[in-house]
Amino acid sequence: MHSNASGANGTGGRGSLPPSQVGILVLAGSIILVVILAVLAYFLWACIVLFGSLPAMSEGCNSDSPIWIFSFIAVCFFGLSVATGGGKDMEGNVGLMGYFLLASSIALTIWGLAIWVSMSAACRSVFERKYSSLLLLFDLDVILLSIQAMLIVLLVLCGALLLGFVGSTWNRAEEARRFLTEGEYADIPDQPVHEA
C-alpha cells in the first residue's frame, strides 16, 4: 500500500499546520501587511502635502493657527514613534525615549487641540480654500494624537489600578502569613510536602 506523506485528507503530515491555523496566519499576515502599507501611505501622503503647502507658512492665518508647523512636527513625531518601536528597547522595556514620546504625545495633543479650538472661521475658510489637504492632514493628526493620548491615559490609569490591587493583595497575603506564623496558629508544626 502506498503512503502519502501529506496525509490522506490533504491536511498535511509532520510539521504542517491544519487549514484553520493556516487561515488564521494568512489573515494575521494580511492585517499586518495592510497596516504597514497604510503607515507608509500616510507618511508618503503627509510628505507630499507638507512640501506642496509650504506657501501656507506665509499666510496671515499661520501666526494664529500654525497648522503647517504642527503637522510637520506631528509627522516627525509619528515617524520617530514608528522608527523607535514606541520607545522600547530590544527586550521590550520602555526606556528614556519611551517616556519622551509619552510626554511629547500628550503635549502635541494639547497643542493641536488648542490650535483647533482657537482657529477662527475665517482662517479655516482660507485653509479649506487654498490648502485643503493641509487642513485634512492637521485634522487627522489631531484626531490620531487625541486617540493615542486617551489610550495612554487609560493605560496609565489601568496600570495604577492594577498596582493598587496587587499592592493591597500583597498586603493581605503578608498579614495572613504573619497571622499564621506569629498568631495562635504558630505552634502548629509544618506538614511535609510530598512531591508526586
Side-chain angles (χ1 to χ4, degrees):
M1 179 105 190
H2 184 339
S3 171
N4 187 355
S6 65
N9 61 1
T11 59
R14 279 192 232 169
S16 63
L17 296 172
S20 62
Q21 289 180 350
V22 171
I24 290 171
L25 287 176
V26 167
L27 178 65
S30 301
I31 291 171
I32 290 170
L33 181 65
V34 166
V35 168
I36 290 172
L37 290 175
V39 167
L40 290 174
Y42 164 79
F43 283 119
L44 179 65
W45 173 70
C47 289
I48 291 170
V49 167
L50 286 171
F51 289 116
S53 60
L54 273 172
M57 292 193 55
S58 62
E59 281 290 328
C61 288
N62 190 49
S63 60
D64 296 332
S65 304
I67 66 171
W68 191 95
I69 294 170
F70 174 84
S71 297
F72 178 76
I73 292 172
V75 169
C76 291
F77 172 76
F78 287 137
L80 184 63
S81 295
V82 169
T84 62
K88 294 183 179 177
D89 59 13
M90 296 303 268
E91 288 85 32
N93 300 320
V94 177
L96 185 60
M97 179 60 78
Y99 295 116
F100 168 75
L101 292 174
L102 173 78
S104 299
S105 171
I106 293 173
L108 276 173
T109 301
I110 292 169
W111 184 33
L113 289 173
I115 293 171
W116 189 328
V117 168
S118 68
M119 187 183 300
S120 67
C123 282
R124 184 166 277 282
S125 160
V126 167
F127 284 128
E128 282 176 354
R129 192 175 64 250
K130 292 183 176 180
Y131 307 104
S132 59
S133 295
L134 178 63
L135 186 62
L136 178 63
L137 177 64
F138 167 75
D139 291 344
L140 182 65
D141 287 342
V142 172
I143 291 168
L144 289 175
L145 281 166
S146 299
I147 291 170
Q148 182 181 12
M150 285 189 295
L151 291 175
I152 288 170
V153 168
L154 283 175
L155 183 66
V156 168
L157 289 176
C158 289
L161 289 173
L162 180 65
L163 285 176
F165 174 74
V166 169
S168 68
T169 303
W170 182 265
N171 288 339
R172 282 184 280 176
E174 185 63 26
E175 289 172 8
R177 184 200 61 79
R178 231 178 298 131
F179 176 75
L180 291 174
T181 57
E182 299 167 4
E184 63 185 73
Y185 297 105
D187 57 347
I188 298 175
D190 290 336
Q191 298 295 322
V193 177
H194 301 285
E195 293 182 12

